[in-house]
Amino acid sequence: MADHPSAFVTGYPIRHSRSPLIHGYWLRQFGLDGSYRAIEVAPDAFAGFIGTLNDNGFVGGNVTIPHKEVAFSLCGKRDSAAEEIGAVNTLWFENGILHGGNTDAYGFLANLDSLSPGWSERKSALVLGAGGASRAVIFALKQRGFTDIRIVNRTMERAQELADRFGISGGAHGWDAVPELLKGASLVVNTTSLGMSGKDELVIDLTQADSDALVTDIVYVPLETPLLRAARFRGLETADGLGMLLHQAVPGFEHWFGKRPDVTAELRNLILADMAAGKAK
Ligand code: ATR
């Protein structure tokens, strides 16, 4: 490892990324002489950026939208999660070879493990959305032995593609099927961007939801999305998505800086304070 290991997060745009805050917190906590910064790279410059990582002294970094699929194709080696999900969000070097991993599924599982211990004794899930985040969530649920996964998406072909890719028994459905699909689904996950600040609200009728259903959202701005609020009003258990962001960062930090960090209440509060400051601007 370099004397002053340097890592990055790249995306386009990247200015709203909170990853530098997260890794900066851990670097300070461990007293490490490393760095982590956001670097905006346009799609047509991405392959060139990745090709010169070593020369520029980077030990690795994170990759986010829209580069995750291209990063996948540029790695010399990939972990099994990346292979299954078809996207890479974490890069590191091992023996001079660029490795790519996907820690989104890990982050999803670790968040629920921490907020709702024992949650994965449930085995049936309703997954809203069929984009990149949905792939990671479905991979994660399959890893935990979920046998009944129902996918809902506006574009049916995408939902069907995912159902086929992961051999899903619960099938692919349109939004109008949600009330029926809620029956017997003990986990409900929103993986769409609906409900995020500035986007359309996610409006679903939870009347048919099981009373013991756990409802979670990968959107974490706002922390309590309209879906989570509606679930809380119905008395359902809820889990917000901020921890997914925090936990997915853990394996990368360990690869680059050699220490496995903890997701603490203090770190969570740091990000919440940043979100509140952003809103106040
Ligand atoms: P990501 O990689 O973050 O998951 P994505 O691949 O663009 O992003 O997927 C976004 C998801 O949100 C998709 O399921 C998308 O539905 P479509 O596949 O039909 O596009 C869903 N989504 C985004 N905006 C939506 C809207 N206004 N109504 C319904 N679904 C929406």
Side-chain angles (χ1 to χ4, degrees):
M1 192 185 285
D3 284 346
H4 306 282
S6 174
F8 61 86
V9 58
T10 184
Y12 190 75
I14 198 61
R15 63 185 172 280
H16 297 302
S17 172
R18 294 193 167 86
S19 293
L21 264 182
I22 298 170
H23 292 283
Y25 167 84
W26 285 330
L27 284 167
R28 283 195 305 282
Q29 203 187 37
F30 284 112
L32 289 173
D33 188 15
S35 70
Y36 182 100
R37 63 196 160 102
I39 303 176
E40 187 160 277
V41 178
D44 61 358
F46 184 71
F49 173 74
I50 295 298
T52 55
L53 287 183
N54 224 345
D55 299 344
N56 289 327
F58 286 114
V59 291
N62 286 124
V63 176
T64 187
I65 294 167
H67 301 317
K68 289 183 178 187
E69 282 80 14
V70 181
F72 177 92
S73 66
L74 295 173
C75 293
K77 280 198 166 176
R78 294 178 285 259
D79 71 10
S80 59
E83 291 288 357
E84 292 276 344
I85 296 165
V88 154
N89 75 340
T90 305
L91 297 168
W92 69 96
F93 286 100
E94 249 177 77
N95 304 320
I97 296 171
L98 184 64
H99 283 57
N102 192 307
T103 66
D104 287 333
Y106 166 79
F108 175 78
L109 295 175
N111 182 40
L112 292 186
D113 286 343
S114 118
L115 294 179
S116 180
W119 69 276
S120 61
E121 280 156 30
R122 299 168 167 90
K123 293 298 174 215
S124 58
L126 173 58
V127 176
L128 309 174
S134 176
R135 288 207 303 268
V137 166
I138 290 170
F139 170 69
L141 293 177
K142 287 211 73 175
Q143 263 192 327
R144 283 295 172 92
F146 273 70
T147 46
D148 173 5
I149 301 175
R150 307 150 188 197
I151 310 173
V152 163
N153 201 44
R154 176 179 57 184
T155 313
M156 275 294 290
E157 302 82 70
R158 290 185 93 188
Q160 191 58 55
E161 204 181 295
L162 274 196
D164 294 345
R165 180 187 183 114
F166 289 103
I168 299 293
S169 63
H173 310 266
W175 284 93
D176 53 352
V178 166
E180 206 46 42
L181 293 170
L182 279 168
K183 293 179 192 161
S186 42
L187 176 72
V188 179
V189 189
N190 174 44
T191 75
T192 74
S193 48
L194 294 173
M196 196 183 289
S197 297
K199 305 259 177 170
D200 288 344
E201 237 185 64
L202 172 55
V203 186
I204 63 170
D205 179 358
L206 291 169
T207 315
Q208 305 289 343
D210 279 11
S211 59
D212 67 344
L214 168 64
V215 180
T216 187
D217 204 322
I218 67 156
V219 172
Y220 59 90
V221 183
L223 191 63
E224 186 176 64
T225 60
L227 172 68
L228 294 183
R229 191 170 55 238
R232 182 165 60 83
F233 284 163
R234 286 205 66 77
L236 304 176
E237 186 184 353
T238 61
D240 69 68
L242 178 56
M244 179 175 172
L245 171 77
L246 305 178
H247 284 282
Q248 65 77 32
V250 168
F253 189 93
E254 187 176 19
H255 279 303
W256 312 316
F257 304 116
K259 304 259 188 209
R260 191 161 183 94
D262 288 323
V263 172
T264 60
E266 189 183 31
L267 173 61
R268 188 177 155 91
N269 287 335
L270 182 77
I271 305 303
L272 288 174
D274 184 66
M275 282 163 53
K279 209 158 63 181
K281 269 178 205 160

